[in-house]
Amino acid sequence: MSIHTYLTAASVDMMGLADYLDHLDAAARLREVRSLGKHEQVKLFEAAAGARPISLAHFVPTGTPPLREVVHYGRNSLPANNLFQKRFCRPDTGGDELWGYNEHGLRWLTGPGYFVLRATSTPEMAIDYTTLPPRKPDAWPPIRPNSARLGRFIYYQTRDIVRAVSEHVTVGRDTRNGRPLNAWFVLCRAGD
C-alpha cells in the first residue's frame, strides 16, 4: 500500500487515504507526500474539495506559543526547485490568522515570500501573499515586499487555496488575481 495506490484508483477514497497517512510515522508520511508528481497533486486537490474540515490549528497546533515556528515540508508541481518548506507561526496579537514564509534553495534570489494564512468563505484556507505580516520570529529572514526580486513572478498578487487531506497533510493550488494557475503543491506538517 502507498499513497499512489489511492491516487491511481478511479476515484480517491479520501477517508481511507487520510487514515493511511495518519497511521504512518512522520518520516514515512513525509516520503509519501514528497513522492507525488503533478498529476497526482491535481487529482488530490480535486478530491479534497470539501472532504475534510480545515482550520488554523491544522497548520499551527493549538497550544503552540505565539511566534513559535511550525514547519510544513512541501513539494510543488514545478519541473525544478520543487522541494520547499512553508513555515508558519501564531501571531503575538492573537486573532484569526497565521503568519509565514517560504524556505527553499533559491530564497536568496526570489525572497522569502511572506504571507498571511486565513480562512475563506469555503471549507478551505488561503495563503495570502498580498498581505505581509507586521512581525516575525527573530530567526526568520527580513520581511521584504513580494514584488521585490524574482519574487514578483512567484509570490506577487498570489493566493494559495489549501484543502485538508489528513491530520498532517494538505494540498493546494496557486491563484493570481483570482485566476487559478497551473501550479499545485502538497504540504506535510513536521513531527507528531
Side-chain angles (χ1 to χ4, degrees):
M1 181 68 66
S2 77
I3 194 169
H4 305 286
T5 306
Y6 290 94
L7 294 172
T8 55
S11 64
V12 181
D13 173 6
M14 289 301 294
M15 288 182 62
L17 176 58
D19 185 60
Y20 170 72
L21 292 169
D22 288 342
H23 284 90
L24 293 174
D25 64 49
R29 184 169 40 250
L30 179 58
R31 276 193 307 276
E32 290 280 279
V33 169
R34 279 196 156 174
S35 73
L36 295 178
K38 178 179 180 175
H39 297 294
E40 292 169 312
Q41 291 176 31
V42 170
K43 187 170 185 177
L44 183 58
F45 182 77
E46 295 304 320
R52 185 180 178 104
I54 190 169
S55 69
L56 296 177
H58 182 90
F59 298 90
V60 176
T62 304
T64 304
L67 301 181
R68 171 136 342 133
E69 171 181 277
V70 176
V71 176
H72 289 244
Y73 294 92
R75 179 179 176 131
N76 63 45
S77 62
L78 301 175
N81 194 44
N82 56 20
L83 297 180
F84 66 96
Q85 298 172 8
K86 286 193 186 296
R87 298 183 178 188
F88 297 87
C89 73
R90 191 174 308 288
D92 55 1
T93 56
D96 56 354
E97 65 184 27
L98 299 177
W99 300 339
Y101 84 99
N102 291 271
E103 184 62 52
H104 54 87
L106 295 178
R107 182 174 55 99
W108 61 273
L109 185 62
T110 65
Y114 272 94
F115 57 80
V116 173
L117 175 83
R118 296 185 183 102
T120 68
S121 60
T122 64
E124 301 168 328
M125 301 297 276
I127 296 174
D128 187 354
Y129 292 96
T130 67
T131 305
L132 298 178
R135 284 176 302 292
K136 63 176 188 61
D138 291 338
W140 286 8
I143 298 173
R144 292 195 170 93
N146 288 325
S147 58
R149 301 182 183 174
L150 291 181
R152 175 176 225 36
F153 303 105
I154 300 167
Y155 307 117
Y156 186 62
Q157 298 299 319
T158 63
R159 287 178 47 169
D160 297 341
I161 304 305
V162 185
R163 298 171 176 169
V165 174
S166 71
E167 183 179 340
H168 303 88
V169 178
T170 54
V171 61
R173 184 175 189 182
D174 300 344
T175 69
R176 177 169 281 124
N177 295 318
R179 291 188 314 267
L181 299 174
N182 189 25
W184 290 263
F185 62 91
V186 286
L187 297 173
C188 182
R189 190 176 72 228
D192 308 299

